Amino acid sequence: AQSVTQLDSQVPVFEEAPVELRCNYSSSVSVYLFWYVQYPNQGLQLLLKYLSGSTLVKGINGFEAEFNKSQTSFHLRKPSVHISDTAEYFCAVLISGGYQKVTFGIGTKLQVIP
Amino acid sequence: GAGVSQSPSNKVTEKGKDVELRCDPISGHTALYWYRQSLGQGLEFLIYFQGNSAPDKSGLPSDRFSAERTGGSVSTLTIQRTQQEDSAVYLCASSPNRAPGYTFGSGTRLTVV
């Protein structure tokens, strides 16, 4: 079975600074990878996804992530964060070609400090 | 509809009462999922519906939990004899057939007092 590890439960960062949210996955087969964002009192919104092809994936709101198969990682990055990026971020994995039960990480709370 | 709709958005219930949570998926999405989000626990898979196939109920935490999906569209998650540990945000998501990635609803925040 696949699993996802988000190494940081909380990440504080100053406004306009870069940020990296870490995600590692475990699977014996090829996977699809996702990052979701959850703003306070809202549902989850898809930020970006890796299905195949280029390992650098660009998403909404200036975020990007890089799939690294050898390190089984899919870290999320943004070069300059805004206050509005304060939210919880979830990494998720789905076995490619399988049915749709996505496995989520425990989430990372990004706190942008003015 | 344009998105996944969940109702109610908030529900406060007394311990021991039954509750029903509703999810209206995106029109045409054949797959529907329920997840539970508890404080500090991430997202816990509950149940999955795909078209007319038998649902995957492997994530339901106890026999007090059940779900149905009528006509391949709207789904209802029922919790019987609610307990305080059932307090959580219940999230519904849908996706097109065999297309990776979900669209989530805004969730129902359930508080059992």
Side-chain angles (χ1 to χ4, degrees), chain A residues 63-78:
Chain A
F63 283 92
E64 63 180 32
E66 185 155 21
F67 170 56
N68 188 318
K69 188 175 181 179
S70 63
Q71 296 186 5
T72 61
S73 68
F74 191 55
H75 300 333
L76 181 70
R77 301 185 184 99
K78 185 170 182 178

Side-chain angles (χ1 to χ4, degrees), chain B residues 39-60:
Chain B
L39 194 62
Q41 298 296 315
L43 276 79
E44 175 189 6
F45 168 77
L46 297 178
I47 189 169
Y48 158 68
F49 296 90
Q50 173 62 278
N52 295 322
S53 303
D56 175 356
K57 304 179 182 180
S58 60
L60 294 178

Side-chain angles (χ1 to χ4, degrees), chain B residues 16-87:
Chain B
K17 300 280 190 183
D18 298 351
V19 294
E20 287 189 349
L21 312 180
R22 177 189 167 101
C23 173
D24 198 344
I26 291 175
S27 178
H29 280 194
T30 56
L32 186 148
Y33 317 81
W34 285 97
Y35 282 79
R36 178 168 71 175
Q37 186 177 23
S38 303
L39 194 62
Q41 298 296 315
L43 276 79
E44 175 189 6
F45 168 77
L46 297 178
I47 189 169
Y48 158 68
F49 296 90
Q50 173 62 278
N52 295 322
S53 303
D56 175 356
K57 304 179 182 180
S58 60
L60 294 178
S62 77
D63 59 8
R64 295 187 295 105
F65 288 72
S66 62
E68 62 177 20
R69 188 179 184 192
T70 53
S73 180
V74 172
S75 176
T76 302
L77 176 69
T78 301
I79 309 173
Q80 295 178 310
R81 305 181 302 282
T82 52
Q83 303 295 313
Q84 287 186 329
E85 60 263 29
D86 299 335
S87 296

Side-chain angles (χ1 to χ4, degrees), chain A residues 32 34 36 38 41-46 49 51 88 90 94 97-107 109, chain B residues 31 33 35 37 39-43 45 48 50 56 58 91 95-96 98-102 104-107 109:
Chain A
Y32 301 135
F34 308 85
Y36 285 84
Q38 186 178 33
N41 300 314
Q42 295 186 27
L44 277 73
Q45 178 183 1
L46 182 66
K49 60 186 175 185
L51 304 182
E88 190 157 18
F90 293 89
L94 169 68
Y99 84 85
Q100 295 273 334
K101 189 170 99 175
V102 173
T103 299
F104 288 86
I106 200 167
K109 291 183 179 176
Chain B
Y33 317 81
Y35 282 79
Q37 186 177 23
L39 194 62
Q41 298 296 315
L43 276 79
F45 168 77
Y48 158 68
Q50 173 62 278
D56 175 356
S58 60
L91 290 165
S95 69
R98 303 196 179 282
Y102 298 162
F104 279 91
S106 297
R109 182 176 298 278

Side-chain angles (χ1 to χ4, degrees), chain A residues 24-69:
Chain A
N24 287 88
Y25 69 92
S26 173
S27 175
S28 58
V29 297
S30 60
V31 296
Y32 301 135
L33 293 157
F34 308 85
W35 275 99
Y36 285 84
V37 59
Q38 186 178 33
Y39 298 104
N41 300 314
Q42 295 186 27
L44 277 73
Q45 178 183 1
L46 182 66
L47 261 183
L48 49 78
K49 60 186 175 185
Y50 170 78
L51 304 182
S52 65
S54 173
T55 57
L56 182 63
V57 180
K58 294 189 182 297
I60 61 172
N61 301 339
F63 283 92
E64 63 180 32
E66 185 155 21
F67 170 56
N68 188 318
K69 188 175 181 179

